[in-house]
Amino acid sequence: MSRYSRRTFLKVAGATAVVVACAPAAQQGGASPSQAKGLTGTITVSYPDELGVKPKYVDMAAQAVMSKNSGSTVKIDLQKVSDDIYYTKLLLTLQSGDVPDVFHFGGDSISELADAGYIEPLDSYVNAWADWKQYPDSIKKGATYKGKIWAIPYGLDTRWLYFRRDDLQKAGLPADWTPSKLSDVIAAATAVKSKVSTVTPYALYAGQAAATGARDHAFVPLVWAYGGEMQTSDGKWVGNSAAIRKALAYYQTVYGQGLSPKEILTTTKPWTAMRAKLGDGSLALLFEGGWVYGGWASKDQAGTQKNVGYLLHPTENGGPSFTIGGLGTCWYLTAKSKNKDLAWEWIKTWNNKDTVAKINIEDPHPVARTDSADVPEFKAQQYLVDSTKSLEKARFLSPDASLSKVTTVIQKATGRVASGDSTPDDAAKQYSADLKQAIGASLVVDQ
Amino acid sequence: MRSGDAQSPLRFVSPAGRALYPRDVVARNSPYLLGVTPAALLLTLFFIGPALWAVYSSLTNLALVGIDAANPRFVGQDNYARLFQDPDFWTVIRNSVTFVLGSAVIGQFVLGLSLAVLIDHAERRGWRLATLAYAAVLLAWVNPTLIAGYLWSAMFDFFFGSLNHVFLSAIGVGPVDWLGSFPMPSVIIANVWRGTAFTMIIFLGALKTIPPDIYEAARIDGANAWRRFWDHTLPSLRPIAALTLLSITMATFGTFILIQTLTNGGPNIATETIALYAYQTAFQSYAIGYGSAIAVVMLGLNLIFAVFYLRWSRARA
């Protein structure tokens, strides 16, 4: 390059740099504070989405915030990845410091996010928000950790024991099959195995591949069905107990008798295959999330209504059946946000009565706001009414900072028994030892 | 660069044979030193730096979530003590060694060498199909590991896999739970398929450097094909073999995407290798400190392999 051209190049580059550096400031200053009404500044809303349901509601809320606050800009960071991939990326971002102002993730992470100092308590905001009274106390309690509110849920999680009426009928069971105790589930699966060879009888999630399914859709409901506890009232985790041994023995029966396919242990995202199989009738029994029903119904509404039954989880001796509740996904405000008021404005705007009702009709979940359950379109959906009602029988895992580590330990214990590598007693002992190692012996008690 | 003699590689000598003092060495080699500086800096930044960071964080309870994320502290050798008491850890080490021996040392190496010899043989005779075979093997290699994982997943899958539903059903055999009943052989086969091309390419290049007249002379002496391979081809390939083994061993030790896609380490921990274990600990249980301790042990194991191969290669050279 000649001397002349290099100098010219440097001049042009310098000028460009100045223009580029000034540009964002010029854009942000487009509406000066004196002209703008309401809140000003810029926030970033980050969320994962694979289904394609959320984006229009997110955009709608963003538009609403920007038109109400003319000096504000809401940037949307949509990540089309699964929740688990999103979470890892999000955590690394939260540690690095260049954080979004608002993000979207499951409510069972409240405690570990709060303890890490990533999220902002919302008490002062919700106390000044008239709509907060629409949230039932049980939900407020679910969003509370160490005495503070940390996240705003909108669609709650419930779970069902799904069963195929057509498959059970072929196995000689009634179409309105209702198990009165836990052993009835094994009896039904055994009947399917012996009489309907083309159908997989039962899917019981186990092992690491099953992710949180091994916890919420299998191990935890089993421990509760056998009358045990996951945690004591003072927050310690139960390591080895009669109920935990019984739950693991249930795994041994189910896998030992070939009632549940061992492929669950090795298939990537085994829930994808199991949900598809229950939907097409090649699987007879499955305890799964309430949100799965919508996928089947959208493919075949009439067939699903006719053939897919849903029930609460039975208990060992015929005590009241129950379900596992969850806060579902929530909106969080980051502690490092530089514009917390505008971020809250966005969260508040999203969580209006109509959006909460509509998104939960599209992606079926019980609604977090009581007034959203009164929206006529919501009330017209029997499944959603049943789901919302099921939460009266729901039990919740308490928010706990050790949950991720405990989940890994549960996956290992269930995997050991399901693969036939351990007896239930040995696996229960190892479960206790693994828990002590993972979260500290002082936080674990054997009963 | 002026090289030292074979016995003392660090003793620099001038062209006249006079020993050089360090200052002279620096002065005489300054253009070269200047040349290697950017590379050295980059290596320090991207290789030595992270390795040192891993050693440091393995001595802390650093985490991505919870109180430990807000207030990480130095825990000394706690993570290592915990690791060596972890009953799964020894299974994981055994799995890693089986996976490396099965898929790299035996599978990729032997198959890669065989393919290279066959293709070289075919090329020397001008057979056009050699190029086709070369391209087919190469295709497996140019796929990203994730795609390769999904391809094999689509074949092995019990419910929808083509191996069961196309091939076995065509011959009237019921479905086989490949990944559940034969997890380690399955992931080894997938990794051999994926990685053989690398070894093949290296050996094909090395085979081209062997002068054809050696074979001509051997043939005149009456040596058959096997003797020519054993007495001439193999010894010529030994130095490159050590380096190839070193790279595929290290790459295989670090592989986890393929296993993660196929079995996610299951059933139970039957295919959990050390790299996958480190990843799951650090990014699924979010325990960065403990995950780093596993990574440091992995680094140590790799170093042992590296020293072994390099010594072997020098001895042969």
Side-chain angles (χ1 to χ4, degrees), chain B residues 176-262:
Chain B
V176 174
D177 178 14
W178 299 103
L179 295 173
S181 305
F182 314 103
M184 190 50 94
S186 300
V187 293
I188 285 177
I189 288 171
N191 198 44
V192 169
W193 177 84
R194 159 105 183 101
T196 298
F198 175 75
T199 323
M200 187 192 79
I201 292 169
I202 301 286
F203 281 128
L204 259 179
L207 285 170
K208 298 264 184 286
T209 63
I210 305 175
D213 42 351
I214 293 185
Y215 293 114
E216 208 50 55
R219 198 175 286 122
I220 291 165
D221 287 347
N224 61 20
W226 176 249
R227 276 254 69 95
R228 292 199 296 275
F229 174 73
W230 194 254
D231 290 343
H232 299 293
T233 314
L234 267 190
S236 314
L237 293 178
R238 265 177 197 153
I240 204 82
L243 286 176
T244 311
L245 269 174
L246 178 64
S247 15
I248 59 175
T249 300
M250 291 202 173
T252 310
F253 249 120
T255 293
F256 75 91
I257 296 175
L258 192 76
I259 301 182
Q260 192 191 25
T261 321
L262 281 171

Side-chain angles (χ1 to χ4, degrees), chain B residues 2 29 47 63 77 109 121 141 168 185 228 231 257 265 278:
Chain B
R2 312 274 178 223
N29 294 300
F47 289 91
Q77 39 108 46
F109 186 78
H121 186 77
W141 193 47
L168 288 188
R228 292 199 296 275
D231 290 343
I257 296 175

